[in-house]
Amino acid sequence: MMKVIRWGILGTGRIAGKFASDLRFAESCELIAVGSRSQESADKFANEFSVKHSHASYEELVQNPEVDVIYIATPHNLHYENTLLCLNNGKAVLCEKPFAINTRQALAMINLAMEKKVFLMEALWTKFHPHFIKIQQMIGEGLLGDIRSVLINFGFKPVAPVNPRLYEPELGGGTIMDIGIYNVFMAMSVLGKPDHIDAVMTPAPTGVDEQCAILFRYKNGAMAQLFSSFSSNLATEADISGTKGRIRLASKFYEPSTTIEFYEGRDNPKQIIPVEKEEGEGYQYEARHVNECLRNGLTESPVIPFADTILLMETLDKIRQIAGVHYPADNIKD
């Protein structure tokens, strides 16, 4: 009989609710505990999602002996301390993106997981979506030829009341870390580590980036143009073009709801590439993978290994440095 993996969720915000809802589509697992900074918030969440244990602190959650793995759904600036808390209490962790504020934090998190021999993975959910797997397959089969360009935009105009985490440096605010990370991840998934990075940004009053334009250049001549914005609502699409064909991910390229359009040659009509669609938001795919890793006794994901997480974090650090986005956590050296 397949082992049932018992989940806890650390945090009770919007994304925590989406993950909790999608766990019902992941086989042989159960959401049994939630932790918040207040009993009221924990109880409300537990009642909504039929959770057995509601804890009034994160410390109580990580000390619950029934919990196998914890999904961290707190603001960016808390991922580091929340992950260390879980790992030090022997709890496997799926940590929402961005994995950390900077590479220093990411390395400390990974080193502790390796030391404790406890599973840890960055929750880049797109990597497990059927549409992402399909485009990787199409590229691998040579349907696009040699990839020459990647064009991605992601933007929305926040509506009142605006969440402070979007703009506060102390909370890891700005478009680069909140939504631009998807652009960077997608470009690097297709073209790999860039040989040269250019980046410019429009600063918000708080100093973080309200808009950011990034250019990746590669020695083979390939380029990626990536744009993120909190100033306007953008199409949030991705174009991946090669010497033989082009893929367009229409609307919300990072979600399983997107549509894959394939264009073979310049004048040929678009082909809609069929991809399986499931109920839910799409968080069940990464949850299934974590369940499988834990059942197999793994402490590192073969799909999102530590090396990939570090490379992404190093690239985000470099982009921020070039664009001039600085966080208080960058001042800490040890």
Side-chain angles (χ1 to χ4, degrees):
M1 184 176 177
M2 188 177 291
K3 179 185 176 183
V4 175
I5 303 299
R6 300 166 301 178
W7 284 82
I9 294 181
L10 195 153
T12 55
R14 182 178 60 89
I15 198 169
K18 290 184 176 183
F19 187 88
S21 181
D22 278 0
L23 267 184
R24 61 197 162 117
F25 301 118
E27 303 75 18
S28 298
C29 67
E30 178 186 7
L31 175 57
I32 67 161
V34 61
S36 180
R37 286 174 292 188
S38 75
Q39 192 65 61
E40 180 183 3
S41 178
D43 288 345
K44 182 180 178 181
F45 192 93
N47 290 334
E48 182 177 357
F49 297 103
S50 301
V51 182
K52 180 180 177 182
H53 302 286
S54 60
H55 299 291
S57 72
Y58 301 151
E59 288 75 16
E60 287 184 19
L61 172 64
V62 301
Q63 291 167 11
N64 186 327
E66 296 183 44
V67 174
D68 298 313
V69 56
I70 293 175
Y71 171 63
I72 292 178
T74 49
H76 306 164
N77 62 305
L78 297 177
H79 292 177
Y80 171 67
E81 64 179 81
N82 293 160
T83 295
L84 297 187
L85 176 67
C86 292
L87 294 173
N88 278 319
N89 282 272
K91 301 301 185 188
V93 174
L94 174 64
C95 182
E96 191 48 62
K97 65 83 195 164
F99 189 68
I101 289 294
N102 53 34
T103 303
R104 177 191 61 80
Q105 290 186 350
L107 286 171
M109 294 155 68
I110 288 169
N111 288 337
L112 182 61
M114 295 173 66
E115 175 190 331
K116 299 287 186 180
K117 296 181 172 58
V118 177
F119 180 85
L120 171 64
M121 190 184 88
E122 180 180 16
L124 259 173
W125 67 327
T126 305
K127 199 157 189 179
F128 301 94
H129 291 163
H131 79 279
F132 180 83
I133 295 170
K134 184 63 178 179
I135 64 171
Q136 292 288 92
Q137 177 187 338
M138 293 172 67
I139 293 169
E141 291 174 352
L143 295 181
L144 273 66
D146 295 328
I147 305 299
R148 307 305 296 160
S149 74
V150 174
L151 308 173
I152 305 177
N153 64 76
F154 191 164
F156 67 92
K157 189 171 177 59
V159 296
V162 176
N163 192 322
R165 73 171 180 81
L166 294 179
Y167 289 104
E168 293 300 327
E170 294 80 8
L171 304 182
T175 70
I176 296 170
M177 298 295 276
D178 191 64
I179 55 179
I181 185 174
Y182 284 115
N183 302 355
V184 172
F185 157 73
M186 184 66 75
M188 291 176 65
S189 296
V190 173
L191 290 172
K193 179 182 178 180
D195 295 307
H196 185 84
I197 299 173
D198 293 311
V200 293
M201 66 95 168
T202 302
T206 57
V208 302
D209 59 299
E210 186 170 59
Q211 295 197 117
C212 187
I214 301 166
L215 177 65
F216 286 172
R217 288 187 281 160
Y218 296 82
K219 291 178 180 177
N220 66 357
M223 303 177 80
Q225 298 179 64
L226 316 173
F227 187 71
S228 53
S229 176
F230 287 156
S231 296
S232 57
N233 297 313
L234 303 181
T236 310
E237 298 173 341
D239 269 83
I240 303 167
S241 302
T243 53
K244 292 182 180 179
R246 173 170 69 95
I247 287 174
R248 175 175 175 263
L249 298 177
S251 184
K252 296 187 177 179
F253 68 88
Y254 60 99
E255 290 191 1
S257 61
T258 193
T259 300
I260 302 177
E261 299 176 1
F262 176 57
Y263 299 82
E264 187 177 9
R266 181 174 181 179
D267 300 318
N268 292 334
K270 71 180 178 184
Q271 304 173 43
I272 302 298
I273 306 300
V275 175
E276 69 166 285
K277 304 286 185 182
E278 290 189 12
E279 293 182 79
E281 300 278 352
Y283 293 92
Q284 65 266 36
Y285 297 101
E286 63 181 357
R288 286 178 185 142
H289 176 72
V290 173
N291 292 340
E292 182 181 358
C293 287
L294 295 179
R295 291 190 188 103
N296 290 328
L298 301 182
T299 55
E300 180 179 358
S301 165
V303 177
I304 304 183
F306 296 148
D308 285 4
T309 294
I310 293 169
L311 176 58
L312 178 58
M313 204 78 250
E314 288 175 340
T315 306
L316 292 169
D317 279 358
K318 188 168 185 179
I319 291 167
R320 288 199 297 112
Q321 180 185 21
I322 295 168
V325 179
H326 184 82
Y327 298 140
D330 298 329
N331 296 328
I332 302 171
K333 302 300 181 184
D334 50 276

